[in-house]
Amino acid sequence: MDGLELTSEDRVLVLGATGFIGKRLVKELAAENIKMRILARTPSRAEGLVPEGADAEIVKGDITKKESLKNALKGIHSAYYLVHSMGGKSLLKNTEFAEKDKKAANNFVSSADKTGLKRVIYLGGLGEKGEGLSEHLESRAEVGNILSSGKASATILRAAVIIGAGGASYEMLRYLVERLPVMTCPKWIKTRIQPIAVHDVVRYLTGCLKNSETAGQTFDIGGPDIMTYKSMMDQYAEARGLAKRIIIELPFITPLLSAYWVDLVTPIPSGIAHPLIEGMINEVICKDNRIDEFVPIQKTPFNEAVKIAFSEETVGPGVSGF
Ligand SMILES: NC(=O)c1ccc[n+]([C@@H]2O[C@H](COP(=O)([O-])OP(=O)(O)OC[C@H]3O[C@@H](n4cnc5c(N)ncnc54)[C@H](OP(=O)(O)O)[C@@H]3O)[C@@H](O)[C@H]2O)c1
């Protein structure tokens, strides 16, 4: 199919390799003997991620700068796009990330169109337009649309909360449940979600690269369990062997108030926590399971994913530098 198939000679670019998903993906690609190029703002952070013997080039760059992308994309067959600009600590609402992410995606497309990139694989968020989508989820969808507008064939994967050590949403869940036997929560505690284990996400990401029929398609990915945020907290406590948490619903708590609360109780930077908490109002469950036809995997149950995540704290990738 028009050179979309990856051969053993082809090289794959990983954007966001130092992140929660990216660092696990690099290990998996290395295990599959796939040649890589990693673009990182701080190359020293990427060096330790590449397993011994892997064919991985590391280049310094920033995706908000066109020049960085043009150089990084030279000779690349397919690229993983695993970046976002949320972050930082401020008591004020983070309003800049969507603009930065839009600019970065546009830079990527214009550079990729010039270098002849064949495929881009992007991991964004679940959530439907027209349902009062949060700014964060709106921005994730916008990036997907921009990437799909280029000449490279885009595969868009959409996920809800990803369970694994170091993931921003997972760490919020972990700190809140571990630290607070009694919690007051906003009404969005009843919103339904479909969490997914991080190693399942990585299997979908690599599976899509290996199956060129996924090119040009959008897939929802999720674990086998659909639950509310409240039952997710209950099930986390159970999986960890903690006493049942008392969760009191206070409908008047706003997203901003919840975010300040998360600032106090957890080390997650407000620049990430605020947009994520705003998104808790949106139901994030898979609308279809077509991915099963293209990348069939045994999905990890939620309680198993929590146990694995907890063990990753000590023997795996561990928590990121919050
Ligand atoms: N975590 C979840 O629960 C979750 C759920 C659903 C979807 N997703 C999606 O998964 C993707 C990856 O998320 P993640 O959780 O792995 O994020 P993450 O841990 O915060 O990592 C973000 C990565 O982006 C890089 N980055 C940010 N700005 C950059 C720039 N200007 N130039 C170059 N690199 C830049 C960071 O590099 P530095 O090391 O330089 O900071 C880091 O490697 C995102 O698209 C996100 O929406 C995540």
Side-chain angles (χ1 to χ4, degrees):
M1 248 212 304
D2 294 340
L4 292 175
E5 206 81 55
L6 189 81
T7 72
S8 57
E9 297 309 306
D10 293 321
R11 194 169 288 277
V12 172
L13 176 66
V14 184
L15 303 175
T18 54
F20 165 55
I21 309 290
K23 61 184 167 189
R24 290 166 169 88
L25 178 69
V26 164
K27 282 208 164 54
E28 194 61 31
L29 293 175
E32 300 268 357
N33 290 319
I34 292 172
K35 294 180 182 184
M36 275 176 272
R37 183 175 300 152
I38 289 170
L39 175 138
R41 290 188 287 195
T42 317
S44 58
R45 290 193 58 201
E47 276 155 19
L49 303 172
V50 179
E52 194 81 16
D55 185 343
E57 303 167 354
I58 300 176
V59 296
K60 185 176 165 66
D62 183 318
I63 60 161
T64 57
K65 304 203 168 79
K66 268 193 185 161
E67 206 51 39
S68 291
L69 280 168
K70 220 173 86 193
N71 293 334
L73 279 159
K74 265 187 204 139
I76 292 292
H77 180 278
S78 296
Y80 282 104
Y81 198 98
L82 304 170
V83 270
H84 66 79
S85 303
M86 292 185 295
K89 264 205 179 286
S90 163
L91 285 182
L92 301 172
K93 194 169 174 275
N94 178 353
T95 52
E96 285 173 2
F97 69 88
E99 225 18 72
K100 273 195 193 161
D101 282 331
K102 183 177 170 182
K103 183 180 170 197
N106 277 315
N107 278 350
F108 178 86
V109 167
S110 68
S111 304
D113 282 356
K114 287 181 195 121
T115 55
L117 183 77
K118 299 285 183 215
R119 296 187 64 188
V120 55
I121 301 175
Y122 166 64
L123 176 64
L126 276 168
E128 305 314 314
K129 264 196 172 304
E131 293 180 3
L133 209 54
S134 72
E135 198 183 353
H136 160 56
L137 292 177
E138 186 87 53
S139 161
R140 295 289 78 203
E142 181 178 44
V143 167
N145 290 338
I146 294 170
L147 297 179
S148 302
S149 70
K151 289 182 192 158
S153 196
T155 301
I156 313 289
L157 297 182
R158 309 188 327 145
V161 169
I162 299 175
I163 306 299
S169 303
Y170 169 75
E171 292 298 337
M172 277 201 292
L173 166 76
R174 179 167 83 91
Y175 275 99
L176 288 172
V177 181
E178 298 272 348
R179 289 187 173 175
L180 302 174
V182 181
M183 260 179 274
T184 52
C185 290
K187 64 179 177 195
W188 304 294
I189 201 77
K190 287 182 185 149
T191 305
R192 289 197 311 159
I193 50 164
Q194 190 169 353
I196 180 169
V198 66
H199 53 272
D200 288 355
V201 172
V202 170
R203 286 195 284 167
Y204 282 132
L205 286 168
T206 49
C208 285
L209 180 70
K210 289 192 283 179
N211 183 348
S212 62
E213 285 179 37
T214 61
Q217 302 214 49
T218 296
F219 299 103
D220 293 353
I221 57 170
D225 309 296
I226 295 176
M227 56 188 74
T228 62
Y229 280 101
K230 180 178 181 309
S231 57
M232 185 164 76
M233 288 179 172
D234 287 341
Q235 289 188 43
Y236 176 94
E238 204 180 307
R240 287 275 301 116
L242 303 169
K244 190 167 168 48
R245 275 24 197 164
I246 299 166
I247 300 173
I248 303 161
E249 190 189 319
L250 294 178
F252 58 82
I253 300 182
T254 62
L256 202 59
L257 254 179
S258 322
Y260 291 146
W261 181 235
V262 168
D263 282 348
L264 278 177
V265 178
T266 81
I268 317 302
S270 51
I272 300 181
H274 290 206
L276 290 178
I277 289 170
E278 275 186 349
M280 283 175 70
I281 199 164
N282 301 117
E283 180 163 285
V284 278
I285 56 176
C286 299
K287 293 280 178 194
D288 68 61
N289 295 306
R290 285 187 317 111
I291 188 71
D292 293 342
E293 294 164 31
F294 298 91
V295 186
I297 66 165
Q298 187 73 36
K299 295 174 192 176
T300 309
F302 176 79
N303 58 357
E304 192 55 34
V306 168
K307 286 178 188 156
I308 297 169
F310 205 75
S311 70
E312 284 182 321
E313 301 285 330
T314 45
V315 295
V319 289
S320 63
F322 290 125

